[in-house]
Amino acid sequence: MAYWLFKSEPISYSFASLASEPDRTTSWEGVRNFQARNFLRDEMRVGDKVLFYHSNTETPGIAGIAEVVEAGSPDPTAFEPGSKYFDPKSRPEKPTWYQVKIRAVRAVEPLLPLSKLRESDELKGLELLRKGSRLSVQSVAPEHWRSVMRLAGIEEE
DNA sequence: GCCAACGTTGGC
DNA sequence: GCCAACGTTGGC
């Protein structure tokens, strides 16, 4: 099993938004970065765990845990001319962009703020903490995942 | 292929 | 609002 971090601006879609979906799932669509696309298309597997991170907000930080419930599939918004994610270069027979489906597992309450993550020696090397890190879908090493769980006070089986 | 200009991200 | 870092675009 692998670990990931997804960024979202809570003003547009928060962890609470995900948790209040009828089945607590959503399709993570609209990613338009090739490195992130490669993760979505090639590397994510059902059962992988996801840190749900709130960016560009008053207190950025980890707001919840989610899991991958469907592996990568073509992102339909790229084919919709009306969509803000429309990309005419992506064709159904040769898609450029991919999505996965995730499900909310549990909230991190209170939110684990970025400032706390920065204080942790154990999290040195976490992509999120790298200066200039902008990738919206990131890989998380298992030892970093365990450190985050500890900081969040979450016991895992 | 180089690289300047530009738009976006996202912490602060 | 500021601004550094980054990805993309397009002229050459």
Side-chain angles (χ1 to χ4, degrees), chain A residues 56-152:
Chain A
N56 205 12
T57 185
E58 187 171 355
T59 307
I62 293 165
I65 313 290
E67 64 183 347
V68 176
V69 293
E70 271 184 36
S73 62
D75 180 346
T77 64
F79 310 136
E80 298 166 5
S83 169
K84 66 171 173 173
Y85 300 123
F86 177 59
D87 180 356
K89 293 196 292 293
S90 184
R91 311 292 313 150
E93 59 276 16
K94 196 174 187 304
T96 307
W97 306 113
Y98 282 71
Q99 60 178 8
V100 298
K101 186 176 277 190
I102 61 171
R103 174 189 293 134
V105 173
R106 58 167 295 170
V108 171
E109 284 176 332
L111 172 136
L112 178 55
L114 177 62
S115 57
K116 286 289 177 198
L117 302 180
R118 288 199 191 284
E119 289 174 7
S120 165
D121 286 338
E122 297 176 350
L123 289 177
K124 282 185 66 177
L126 182 68
E127 166 67 14
L128 179 73
L129 303 183
R130 193 180 56 79
K131 186 176 167 70
S133 170
R134 295 196 331 191
L135 199 57
S136 67
V137 173
Q138 305 181 357
S139 178
V140 174
E143 60 270 26
H144 288 153
W145 178 274
R146 288 192 292 272
S147 297
V148 170
M149 293 303 107
R150 211 168 319 140
L151 286 171

XYZ file of all heavy atoms in Angstrom, chain A residues 56-152:
759
model
N -3.966 27.224 0.910
C -4.431 28.577 0.567
C -5.614 29.006 1.433
O -6.626 29.482 0.932
C -4.804 28.638 -0.918
C -4.699 30.037 -1.468
O -4.144 30.936 -0.841
N -5.256 30.240 -2.641
N -5.420 28.838 2.744
C -6.484 29.170 3.683
C -5.841 29.708 4.953
O -4.620 29.673 5.088
C -7.333 27.913 3.965
O -8.437 28.260 4.784
C -6.496 26.842 4.644
N -6.659 30.229 5.850
C -6.124 30.929 7.018
C -5.147 30.054 7.806
O -4.050 30.487 8.141
C -7.277 31.381 7.920
C -6.789 32.253 9.059
C -7.938 32.876 9.838
O -9.100 32.695 9.428
O -7.656 33.527 10.861
N -5.551 28.817 8.097
C -4.643 27.867 8.733
C -4.528 26.635 7.852
O -5.361 25.739 7.926
C -5.155 27.453 10.132
O -5.413 28.625 10.905
C -4.131 26.590 10.836
N -3.504 26.611 6.997
C -3.326 25.417 6.163
C -2.921 24.230 7.011
O -2.243 24.390 8.041
C -2.206 25.825 5.204
C -1.482 26.935 5.875
C -2.469 27.627 6.770
N -3.313 23.041 6.589
C -2.936 21.842 7.338
C -3.725 20.627 6.897
O -4.536 20.693 5.971
N -3.474 19.515 7.622
C -4.119 18.247 7.272
C -5.466 18.164 7.972
O -5.546 18.229 9.202
C -3.209 17.069 7.637
C -1.973 17.113 6.733
C -3.949 15.741 7.476
C -0.846 16.250 7.205
N -6.499 18.014 7.164
C -7.862 18.082 7.677
C -8.528 16.730 7.766
O -9.573 16.605 8.420
C -8.709 19.003 6.792
N -7.941 15.740 7.125
C -8.590 14.439 7.177
C -7.799 13.358 6.472
O -6.764 13.627 5.850
N -8.300 12.134 6.629
C -7.717 10.960 5.987
C -8.745 10.419 4.996
O -9.937 10.351 5.309
C -7.421 9.844 7.020
C -6.700 10.396 8.249
C -6.662 8.697 6.373
C -5.310 10.823 8.030
N -8.256 10.041 3.830
C -9.127 9.427 2.833
C -8.424 8.198 2.293
O -7.272 7.907 2.660
C -9.441 10.416 1.707
N -9.130 7.448 1.454
C -8.511 6.289 0.826
C -8.955 6.215 -0.625
O -10.023 6.699 -0.990
C -8.866 5.005 1.564
C -10.339 4.674 1.519
C -10.666 3.418 2.324
O -9.725 2.692 2.687
O -11.857 3.181 2.583
N -8.107 5.589 -1.426
C -8.422 5.403 -2.844
C -9.399 4.237 -2.968
O -9.127 3.150 -2.458
C -7.143 5.125 -3.659
C -7.479 4.838 -5.120
C -6.187 6.309 -3.559
N -10.534 4.491 -3.613
C -11.509 3.409 -3.806
C -11.660 3.018 -5.278
O -12.295 2.025 -5.580
C -12.891 3.759 -3.199
C -12.795 3.843 -1.679
C -13.449 5.053 -3.770
N -11.091 3.816 -6.170
C -11.033 3.436 -7.589
C -9.728 3.941 -8.157
O -9.388 5.115 -7.989
C -12.184 4.067 -8.393
C -13.458 3.243 -8.454
C -14.500 3.901 -9.361
O -14.108 4.511 -10.391
O -15.689 3.832 -9.012
N -9.015 3.065 -8.849
C -7.735 3.444 -9.457
C -7.979 4.406 -10.620
O -9.114 4.765 -10.930
C -6.991 2.194 -9.914
N -6.909 4.828 -11.261
C -6.982 5.861 -12.285
C -7.882 5.519 -13.458
O -7.869 4.402 -13.961
N -8.637 6.521 -13.900
C -9.451 6.400 -15.112
C -9.439 7.756 -15.796
O -9.131 8.774 -15.171
C -10.886 5.991 -14.761
O -11.501 6.977 -13.952
N -9.753 7.814 -17.099
C -9.707 9.099 -17.806
C -10.603 10.139 -17.135
O -11.720 9.824 -16.711
C -10.210 8.738 -19.203
C -9.833 7.307 -19.372
C -10.013 6.684 -18.008
N -10.107 11.355 -17.049
C -10.839 12.459 -16.421
C -11.873 13.003 -17.415
O -11.501 13.628 -18.417
C -9.842 13.545 -16.028
C -10.511 14.750 -15.369
O -11.753 14.871 -15.444
O -9.778 15.560 -14.781
N -13.161 12.781 -17.163
C -14.178 13.182 -18.146
C -14.280 14.697 -18.326
O -14.724 15.153 -19.381
C -15.477 12.603 -17.571
C -15.213 12.422 -16.113
C -13.748 12.138 -15.991
N -13.851 15.467 -17.326
C -13.996 16.918 -17.461
C -13.115 17.459 -18.581
O -13.397 18.521 -19.131
C -13.640 17.648 -16.149
O -12.262 17.439 -15.833
C -14.516 17.173 -15.001
N -12.063 16.723 -18.944
C -11.191 17.176 -20.034
C -11.903 17.124 -21.376
O -11.494 17.795 -22.330
C -9.930 16.310 -20.082
N -12.979 16.329 -21.452
C -13.702 16.157 -22.727
C -14.904 17.084 -22.846
O -15.573 17.086 -23.878
C -14.183 14.703 -22.874
C -13.122 13.665 -22.639
C -13.392 12.538 -21.877
C -11.851 13.817 -23.177
C -12.413 11.572 -21.658
C -10.866 12.857 -22.966
C -11.153 11.734 -22.195
N -15.197 17.840 -21.800
C -16.419 18.655 -21.766
C -16.093 20.104 -22.117
O -15.508 20.822 -21.303
C -17.046 18.597 -20.363
C -17.469 17.188 -19.960
C -17.757 17.069 -18.468
O -17.713 18.112 -17.758
O -18.010 15.942 -18.002
N -16.500 20.539 -23.310
C -16.162 21.893 -23.761
C -16.611 22.984 -22.783
O -15.986 24.034 -22.697
C -16.906 22.018 -25.090
C -17.051 20.623 -25.579
C -17.224 19.778 -24.343
N -17.670 22.724 -22.018
C -18.143 23.736 -21.079
C -17.364 23.773 -19.778
O -17.480 24.728 -19.014
N -16.574 22.753 -19.528
C -15.888 22.650 -18.242
C -14.669 23.565 -18.186
O -13.993 23.772 -19.191
C -15.448 21.210 -18.003
O -14.577 21.144 -16.889
N -14.387 24.081 -16.999
C -13.163 24.883 -16.867
C -11.920 24.008 -16.958
O -10.809 24.504 -17.088
C -13.177 25.669 -15.556
C -13.121 24.831 -14.297
C -12.909 25.721 -13.075
C -13.015 24.938 -11.781
N -12.656 25.755 -10.605
N -12.122 22.693 -16.901
C -11.003 21.763 -17.025
C -10.895 21.188 -18.440
O -10.121 20.272 -18.684
C -11.156 20.611 -16.020
C -11.183 21.064 -14.587
C -12.261 20.744 -13.757
C -10.134 21.803 -14.053
C -12.290 21.151 -12.434
C -10.153 22.212 -12.729
C -11.236 21.888 -11.930
O -11.249 22.294 -10.629
N -11.702 21.725 -19.361
C -11.686 21.230 -20.741
C -10.296 21.350 -21.357
O -9.633 22.376 -21.216
C -12.695 22.024 -21.580
C -12.706 21.654 -23.034
C -12.988 20.356 -23.428
C -12.440 22.609 -24.012
C -13.019 20.004 -24.772
C -12.469 22.271 -25.361
C -12.757 20.959 -25.735
N -9.887 20.274 -22.020
C -8.606 20.285 -22.730
C -8.793 19.614 -24.088
O -8.879 18.387 -24.166
C -7.538 19.548 -21.920
C -6.184 19.551 -22.637
O -6.097 20.052 -23.783
O -5.212 19.040 -22.055
N -8.858 20.424 -25.154
C -9.138 19.854 -26.483
C -8.078 18.867 -26.951
O -8.332 18.061 -27.846
C -9.178 21.092 -27.396
C -8.474 22.172 -26.643
C -8.685 21.874 -25.185
N -6.905 18.909 -26.331
C -5.857 17.965 -26.743
C -6.058 16.576 -26.146
O -5.420 15.617 -26.559
C -4.481 18.504 -26.336
C -4.074 19.773 -27.104
C -2.586 20.069 -26.991
C -2.173 20.467 -25.584
N -2.732 21.756 -25.143
N -6.921 16.487 -25.146
C -7.216 15.184 -24.550
C -8.416 14.563 -25.245
O -9.506 15.131 -25.235
C -7.506 15.344 -23.048
O -7.704 14.073 -22.445
N -8.197 13.418 -25.903
C -9.253 12.743 -26.646
C -9.661 11.480 -25.897
O -8.785 10.824 -25.306
C -8.761 12.359 -28.054
C -8.074 13.471 -28.818
C -9.033 14.580 -29.186
N -10.253 14.013 -29.758
C -11.453 14.595 -29.653
N -11.587 15.720 -28.997
N -12.504 14.019 -30.185
N -10.933 11.120 -25.956
C -11.366 9.890 -25.265
C -10.545 8.666 -25.682
O -10.271 7.796 -24.854
C -12.831 9.751 -25.696
C -13.277 11.156 -25.965
C -12.068 11.864 -26.538
N -10.133 8.609 -26.953
C -9.362 7.443 -27.393
C -7.887 7.535 -26.981
O -7.159 6.555 -27.064
C -9.490 7.249 -28.919
C -9.024 8.413 -29.770
C -10.090 9.493 -29.958
O -11.089 9.515 -29.215
O -9.891 10.342 -30.862
N -7.479 8.720 -26.534
C -6.107 8.870 -26.032
C -6.080 9.971 -24.969
O -5.625 11.084 -25.232
C -5.155 9.208 -27.197
C -3.679 9.002 -26.864
C -2.817 9.219 -28.116
C -1.361 8.856 -27.866
N -0.757 9.590 -26.737
N -6.575 9.653 -23.794
C -6.747 10.697 -22.769
C -5.414 11.224 -22.246
O -4.456 10.470 -22.082
C -7.494 9.968 -21.645
C -7.944 8.666 -22.225
C -7.002 8.338 -23.330
N -5.399 12.509 -21.989
C -4.222 13.114 -21.364
C -4.325 13.079 -19.839
O -3.332 12.860 -19.154
C -4.094 14.587 -21.807
O -4.117 14.660 -23.229
C -2.788 15.194 -21.289
N -5.539 13.302 -19.346
C -5.710 13.523 -17.898
C -6.507 12.412 -17.235
O -7.418 11.857 -17.841
C -6.377 14.882 -17.658
C -5.621 15.995 -18.329
C -6.041 16.765 -19.366
C -4.293 16.432 -18.016
N -5.058 17.652 -19.725
C -3.976 17.474 -18.921
C -3.340 16.039 -17.081
C -2.740 18.136 -18.896
C -2.115 16.692 -17.055
C -1.825 17.726 -17.951
N -6.159 12.145 -15.995
C -6.754 11.040 -15.239
C -7.262 11.503 -13.884
O -6.857 12.554 -13.369
C -5.735 9.901 -15.077
C -5.611 9.071 -16.329
C -4.997 9.598 -17.465
C -6.156 7.799 -16.401
C -4.925 8.867 -18.645
C -6.079 7.057 -17.576
C -5.467 7.588 -18.685
O -5.400 6.870 -19.851
N -8.150 10.688 -13.318
C -8.714 10.933 -11.996
C -8.672 9.631 -11.203
O -8.520 8.557 -11.776
C -10.167 11.379 -12.126
C -11.022 10.313 -12.820
C -12.484 10.654 -12.952
O -12.905 11.759 -12.674
N -13.267 9.675 -13.359
N -8.796 9.727 -9.905
C -9.094 8.554 -9.071
C -10.323 8.895 -8.235
O -10.712 10.077 -8.144
C -7.923 8.162 -8.135
C -6.687 7.784 -8.932
C -7.622 9.264 -7.127
N -10.918 7.884 -7.642
C -12.009 8.141 -6.696
C -11.501 7.901 -5.286
O -10.808 6.904 -5.029
C -13.212 7.237 -6.997
C -14.427 7.563 -6.121
C -15.647 6.729 -6.504
C -16.376 7.336 -7.677
N -17.706 6.660 -7.903
N -11.810 8.822 -4.406
C -11.403 8.681 -3.002
C -12.624 8.718 -2.087
O -13.681 9.240 -2.463
C -10.407 9.780 -2.559
C -11.030 11.175 -2.694
C -9.112 9.678 -3.350
C -10.187 12.284 -2.061
N -12.443 8.159 -0.904
C -13.499 8.147 0.103
C -12.943 8.682 1.427
O -11.816 8.349 1.815
C -14.019 6.727 0.330
C -15.041 6.619 1.482
C -15.369 5.177 1.815
N -16.086 4.541 0.736
C -15.812 3.327 0.252
N -14.824 2.626 0.758
N -16.535 2.827 -0.733
N -13.738 9.501 2.077
C -13.354 10.004 3.391
C -13.291 8.845 4.382
O -14.209 8.028 4.443
C -14.353 11.053 3.876
N -12.205 8.783 5.131
C -12.063 7.756 6.169
C -12.375 8.374 7.534
O -13.223 7.889 8.261
C -10.647 7.163 6.172
C -10.440 6.233 7.354
C -10.397 6.415 4.856
N -11.674 9.441 7.857
C -11.938 10.132 9.129
C -11.341 11.527 9.074
O -10.368 11.781 8.373
C -11.363 9.370 10.312
C -9.865 9.128 10.219
C -9.306 8.668 11.539
N -9.433 9.705 12.557
C -9.197 9.506 13.847
N -8.831 8.305 14.270
N -9.299 10.497 14.706
N -11.943 12.402 9.835
C -11.413 13.760 9.940
C -10.196 13.774 10.854
O -10.042 12.904 11.716
C -12.484 14.699 10.480
N -9.333 14.741 10.660
C -8.275 15.041 11.628
C -8.747 16.278 12.387
O -8.784 17.380 11.820
C -6.927 15.288 10.941
C -5.907 15.808 11.922
C -6.426 14.012 10.276
N -9.164 16.059 13.628
C -9.721 17.148 14.433
C -9.040 17.193 15.794
O -9.011 16.173 16.481
C -11.234 16.960 14.600
C -12.018 17.319 13.361
C -13.502 17.023 13.510
O -13.857 16.112 14.262
O -14.288 17.720 12.861
N -8.506 18.344 16.148
C -8.467 19.533 15.312
C -7.510 19.347 14.131
O -6.662 18.464 14.164
C -7.939 20.619 16.261
C -7.104 19.863 17.244
C -7.785 18.538 17.423
N -7.666 20.190 13.139
C -6.775 20.178 11.989
C -5.319 20.207 12.439
O -4.976 20.906 13.386
C -7.097 21.394 11.112
C -6.196 21.721 9.929
C -7.051 22.080 8.728
C -5.284 22.884 10.271
N -4.495 19.414 11.757
C -3.060 19.390 12.070
C -2.380 20.431 11.203
O -2.204 20.233 10.007
C -2.508 17.983 11.797
C -1.022 17.741 12.022
C -0.584 18.122 13.424
C -0.672 16.294 11.725
N -2.006 21.563 11.808
C -1.564 22.692 10.987
C -0.178 22.495 10.383
O 0.677 21.802 10.949
C -1.562 23.867 11.966
C -1.487 23.263 13.318
C -2.047 21.874 13.235
N 0.019 23.131 9.261
C 1.314 23.117 8.595
C 2.433 23.532 9.546
O 3.530 22.978 9.509
C 1.260 24.062 7.387
C 2.543 24.240 6.588
C 3.001 22.924 5.980
C 2.353 25.297 5.504
N 2.147 24.504 10.410
C 3.181 24.979 11.344
C 3.669 23.847 12.245
O 4.856 23.772 12.572
C 2.638 26.135 12.176
O 1.475 25.735 12.875
N 2.752 22.938 12.653
C 3.151 21.788 13.472
C 3.989 20.803 12.673
O 4.945 20.217 13.186
C 1.915 21.076 14.020
C 1.217 21.815 15.143
C 2.069 21.779 16.410
C 1.393 22.588 17.515
N 2.357 22.946 18.593
N 3.623 20.625 11.415
C 4.396 19.710 10.566
C 5.824 20.217 10.432
O 6.778 19.447 10.458
C 3.747 19.587 9.183
C 2.298 19.099 9.148
C 1.814 19.027 7.696
C 2.155 17.740 9.809
N 5.956 21.521 10.303
C 7.283 22.116 10.129
C 8.154 21.939 11.364
O 9.379 21.926 11.273
C 7.166 23.605 9.816
C 6.639 23.915 8.430
C 6.975 25.343 8.031
N 6.266 25.767 6.827
C 6.595 25.378 5.592
N 7.613 24.562 5.414
N 5.904 25.818 4.551
N 7.525 21.813 12.524
C 8.291 21.672 13.769
C 8.882 20.278 13.930
O 9.742 20.064 14.781
C 7.382 21.963 14.979
C 6.995 23.419 15.126
C 5.975 23.623 16.240
O 5.688 22.639 16.971
O 5.460 24.753 16.367
N 8.380 19.322 13.160
C 8.771 17.930 13.372
C 10.056 17.580 12.639
O 10.149 17.724 11.428
C 7.633 17.019 12.894
O 8.106 15.692 12.754
N 11.040 17.091 13.393
C 12.272 16.621 12.765
C 12.018 15.414 11.885
O 12.648 15.224 10.851
C 13.304 16.250 13.843
C 13.906 17.480 14.502
O 13.859 18.564 13.876
O 14.393 17.370 15.638
N 11.067 14.587 12.311
C 10.790 13.345 11.586
C 10.268 13.610 10.174
O 10.368 12.753 9.306
C 9.746 12.508 12.337
C 10.208 12.046 13.696
C 9.121 11.306 14.449
O 7.950 11.309 14.002
O 9.450 10.715 15.499
N 9.666 14.764 9.984
C 9.039 15.034 8.686
C 9.964 15.758 7.722
O 9.528 16.172 6.639
C 7.740 15.832 8.884
C 6.604 15.011 9.506
C 5.380 15.872 9.735
C 6.253 13.816 8.636
N 11.225 15.897 8.124
C 12.173 16.475 7.175
C 12.194 15.618 5.908
O 12.234 14.399 5.969
C 13.583 16.533 7.783
C 13.748 17.691 8.758
C 15.180 17.796 9.260
C 16.137 18.169 8.118
N 17.526 18.341 8.587
N 12.102 16.279 4.756
C 12.077 15.546 3.491
C 10.681 15.355 2.931
O 10.539 14.949 1.780
N 9.665 15.627 3.742
C 8.296 15.556 3.213
C 8.134 16.609 2.113
O 8.442 17.781 2.321
C 7.296 15.802 4.345
C 5.806 15.713 3.981
C 5.424 14.273 3.630
C 4.933 16.233 5.115
N 7.643 16.177 0.956
C 7.542 17.076 -0.195
C 6.772 18.351 0.131
O 7.143 19.446 -0.291
C 6.876 16.323 -1.362
C 6.384 17.181 -2.510
C 7.513 17.859 -3.284
O 8.679 17.479 -3.115
O 7.196 18.794 -4.053
N 5.719 18.194 0.897
C 4.887 19.350 1.242
C 5.701 20.468 1.890
O 5.396 21.645 1.716
C 3.781 18.909 2.215
C 2.825 19.997 2.691
C 1.887 20.400 1.572
C 2.046 19.540 3.909
N 6.737 20.082 2.646
C 7.494 21.065 3.426
C 8.630 21.690 2.625
O 9.288 22.606 3.104
C 8.062 20.409 4.696
C 7.017 19.760 5.607
C 7.680 19.212 6.857
C 5.925 20.764 5.974
N 8.868 21.190 1.437
C 9.934 21.741 0.608
C 9.536 23.129 0.134
O 8.387 23.358 -0.258
C 10.179 20.819 -0.596
C 11.447 21.108 -1.365
C 11.592 20.130 -2.537
N 10.430 20.173 -3.414
C 10.240 21.123 -4.334
N 11.138 22.064 -4.501
N 9.158 21.115 -5.082
N 10.491 24.033 0.189
C 10.225 25.402 -0.248
C 9.800 25.405 -1.708
O 10.452 24.795 -2.555
C 11.489 26.241 -0.068
C 11.331 27.718 -0.344
C 12.665 28.416 -0.009
C 12.716 29.817 -0.545
N 11.828 30.750 0.147
N 8.692 26.058 -1.995
C 8.214 26.145 -3.365
C 7.405 24.948 -3.819
O 7.056 24.858 -4.990
N 7.096 24.040 -2.891
C 6.333 22.848 -3.256
C 4.919 23.225 -3.668
O 4.174 23.815 -2.897
C 6.291 21.897 -2.056
O 5.389 20.847 -2.285
N 4.552 22.896 -4.904
C 3.223 23.281 -5.389
C 2.421 22.099 -5.908
O 1.258 22.253 -6.245
C 3.346 24.310 -6.526
C 3.928 25.620 -6.100
C 3.675 26.702 -7.109
N 3.569 26.172 -8.468
C 3.554 26.945 -9.537
N 3.659 28.248 -9.413
N 3.446 26.416 -10.727
N 3.052 20.952 -6.001
C 2.377 19.800 -6.580
C 1.123 19.459 -5.761
O 1.192 19.346 -4.537
C 3.346 18.621 -6.590
C 3.058 17.455 -7.522
C 2.964 17.924 -8.961
C 4.134 16.402 -7.359
N -0.010 19.292 -6.460
C -1.277 19.112 -5.743
C -1.545 17.664 -5.373
O -2.438 17.381 -4.585
C -2.432 19.649 -6.585
O -2.603 18.847 -7.737
N -0.771 16.747 -5.965
C -0.842 15.333 -5.601
C 0.590 14.884 -5.345
O 1.417 14.918 -6.250
C -1.472 14.490 -6.724
C -1.372 13.012 -6.401
C -2.923 14.895 -6.957
N 0.871 14.498 -4.106
C 2.235 14.173 -3.720
C 2.302 12.770 -3.125
O 1.334 12.289 -2.553
C 2.733 15.171 -2.655
C 2.626 16.619 -3.095
C 3.143 17.580 -2.034
O 3.528 17.173 -0.934
N 3.154 18.865 -2.376
N 3.472 12.172 -3.245
C 3.724 10.893 -2.606
C 4.209 11.129 -1.174
O 4.906 12.106 -0.902
C 4.792 10.141 -3.405
O 5.095 8.917 -2.785
N 3.824 10.247 -0.272
C 4.233 10.344 1.135
C 4.908 9.040 1.527
O 4.339 7.955 1.333
C 3.009 10.603 2.047
C 3.406 10.568 3.522
C 2.349 11.939 1.699
N 6.114 9.126 2.073
C 6.835 7.927 2.499
C 6.136 7.315 3.714
O 5.561 8.036 4.531
C 8.275 8.277 2.844
N 6.205 5.968 3.853
C 5.537 5.304 4.982
C 5.954 5.863 6.338
O 5.107 6.049 7.224
C 5.971 3.840 4.829
C 6.249 3.673 3.372
C 6.789 5.006 2.910
N 7.243 6.164 6.493
C 7.679 6.681 7.799
C 7.127 8.079 8.045
O 6.851 8.447 9.189
C 9.209 6.657 7.916
C 9.954 7.482 6.883
C 10.290 6.699 5.625
O 9.571 5.714 5.313
O 11.280 7.070 4.951
N 6.958 8.843 6.984
C 6.336 10.161 7.142
C 4.860 10.021 7.487
O 4.333 10.777 8.312
C 6.515 10.995 5.865
C 7.918 11.473 5.665
N 8.452 11.749 4.423
C 8.917 11.697 6.563
C 9.714 12.136 4.568
N 10.015 12.103 5.850
N 4.207 9.061 6.854
C 2.799 8.803 7.187
C 2.658 8.481 8.679
O 1.809 9.045 9.370
C 2.247 7.645 6.344
C 0.834 7.309 6.670
C 0.397 6.465 7.667
C -0.342 7.835 6.051
N -0.976 6.427 7.688
C -1.451 7.253 6.703
C -0.564 8.729 5.007
C -2.764 7.550 6.346
C -1.878 9.020 4.648
C -2.957 8.431 5.319
N 3.510 7.593 9.170
C 3.417 7.204 10.586
C 3.660 8.400 11.499
O 2.986 8.554 12.526
C 4.417 6.081 10.894
C 4.007 4.730 10.294
C 4.849 3.594 10.869
N 6.252 3.678 10.442
C 6.717 3.138 9.314
N 5.908 2.471 8.511
N 7.994 3.260 8.997
N 4.597 9.252 11.116
C 4.857 10.446 11.928
C 3.648 11.366 11.952
O 3.299 11.927 12.999
C 6.062 11.212 11.373
O 7.226 10.413 11.458
N 3.006 11.525 10.806
C 1.824 12.386 10.748
C 0.707 11.807 11.615
O 0.044 12.540 12.353
C 1.343 12.578 9.292
C -0.016 13.265 9.244
C 2.362 13.387 8.498
N 0.521 10.499 11.553
C -0.506 9.870 12.394
C -0.217 10.116 13.870
O -1.114 10.416 14.654
C -0.575 8.357 12.127
C -1.088 7.978 10.737
S -2.721 8.625 10.330
C -2.252 9.893 9.157
N 1.038 10.016 14.242
C 1.415 10.238 15.639
C 1.136 11.685 16.034
O 0.563 11.953 17.090
C 2.909 9.905 15.826
C 3.267 9.380 17.204
C 4.667 8.804 17.213
N 4.880 8.041 15.997
C 5.989 7.988 15.247
N 6.975 8.569 15.546
N 6.112 7.309 14.158
N 1.528 12.615 15.164
C 1.292 14.031 15.459
C -0.200 14.332 15.568
O -0.618 15.195 16.334
C 1.911 14.911 14.365
C 3.421 15.048 14.379
C 3.905 15.754 13.117
C 3.895 15.809 15.608
N -0.989 13.602 14.786
C -2.432 13.826 14.794
C -3.111 13.089 15.939
O -4.310 13.268 16.173
C -3.036 13.394 13.461
